[in-house]
Amino acid sequence: MAGRRVTKSAVNWAAMLERVHPKQQGNFIAFKAKSDVYLRRVLANPESLPKIDWAFYKKTVPVAGMADAFQKQYESMKIPYPPDTATALVEAQEKQVMEEVKKFVQDSNARITDFQKELDHINSLLPIDQMTMEDYKDSYPELALDSEKRPTFWPHTPEEQPGMEKRDETAGH
């Protein structure tokens, strides 16, 4: 990637904007504007060093060999382009994240299947407003009153049930 000239953005800004929260879209648009300004500034500069008419300078410069020395130095000049050390890290991170996303999607699909089964079961029952107490007990045995296994007495608070100690109302006064 070193030495390659960037001529246009590789970012799909429209797809990215769709994923930005509506409250953050102003910040995103400002960021895109800064990116566009930077890209225009880069593109305003020439891709390579400007060509110099050395023959003209060799004829007009009175010091012998000076234009030749400048030409040699100019043509041997290499502007260093920073090495790309981040792409491999980003690609590795992207691969890891994509695996996590794939696992999350699989887990979510499994949960959706379970929830759909539960929803189908609930939809197969009578509506609660049409149920009798017996229907409710058959449909929701863990929630229904069971006077044989779990009897409760009015006012049906835990403190009023058999086997519970009464709180001392005067304690702490």
Side-chain angles (χ1 to χ4, degrees), residues 91-105:
E91 288 173 351
Q93 186 178 15
E94 179 185 21
K95 184 177 178 184
Q96 176 189 358
V97 168
M98 291 309 292
E99 288 173 6
E100 291 173 7
V101 167
K102 189 183 290 185
K103 183 181 182 324
F104 177 77
V105 168

Side-chain angles (χ1 to χ4, degrees), residues 1 33 38 40 47 49 67 70 82 118 136-137 156 166:
M1 186 163 190
Y38 176 74
R40 280 193 297 274
E47 185 173 349
L49 294 173
F70 281 151
E118 187 176 335
Y136 185 81
K137 183 178 178 185
H156 305 288
K166 287 223 180 235

Side-chain angles (χ1 to χ4, degrees), residues 137-168:
K137 183 178 178 185
D138 291 341
S139 299
Y140 304 100
E142 67 282 351
L143 299 175
L145 292 174
D146 187 353
S147 59
E148 294 175 8
K149 296 180 184 171
R150 296 184 312 271
T152 60
F153 298 99
W154 188 89
H156 305 288
T157 59
E159 295 85 20
E160 299 298 327
Q161 303 311 312
M164 293 294 293
E165 294 181 22
K166 287 223 180 235
R167 285 192 275 166
D168 187 6

Side-chain angles (χ1 to χ4, degrees), residues 14-157:
M16 215 174 192
L17 181 62
E18 291 174 0
R19 296 174 182 219
V20 174
H21 191 277
K23 291 183 179 180
Q24 295 295 322
Q25 286 185 353
N27 293 340
F28 177 79
I29 291 169
F31 171 72
K32 182 187 180 310
K34 286 183 181 182
S35 176
D36 291 343
V37 167
Y38 176 74
L39 184 61
R40 280 193 297 274
R41 284 178 44 205
V42 167
L43 294 177
N45 295 319
E47 185 173 349
S48 60
L49 294 173
K51 302 295 180 201
I52 297 177
D53 183 10
W54 293 109
F56 170 77
Y57 287 106
K58 288 177 187 177
K59 284 190 265 177
T60 56
V61 174
V63 179
M66 182 182 265
D68 291 329
F70 281 151
Q71 181 181 7
K72 181 180 175 188
Q73 290 174 4
Y74 184 79
E75 290 173 352
S76 67
M77 181 173 56
K78 299 289 182 213
I79 299 173
Y81 194 83
D84 182 11
T85 58
T87 300
L89 297 172
V90 170
E91 288 173 351
Q93 186 178 15
E94 179 185 21
K95 184 177 178 184
Q96 176 189 358
V97 168
M98 291 309 292
E99 288 173 6
E100 291 173 7
V101 167
K102 189 183 290 185
K103 183 181 182 324
F104 177 77
V105 168
Q106 288 174 346
D107 294 346
S108 295
N109 286 337
R111 285 192 304 273
I112 289 170
T113 302
D114 293 342
F115 292 144
Q116 189 61 47
K117 287 178 186 175
E118 187 176 335
L119 186 61
D120 291 342
H121 171 70
I122 290 171
N123 288 335
S124 71
L125 300 175
L126 279 173
I128 290 180
D129 60 349
Q130 296 177 10
M131 285 185 182
T132 63
M133 291 301 284
E134 290 80 18
D135 292 333
Y136 185 81
K137 183 178 178 185
D138 291 341
S139 299
Y140 304 100
E142 67 282 351
L143 299 175
L145 292 174
D146 187 353
S147 59
E148 294 175 8
K149 296 180 184 171
R150 296 184 312 271
T152 60
F153 298 99
W154 188 89
H156 305 288
T157 59

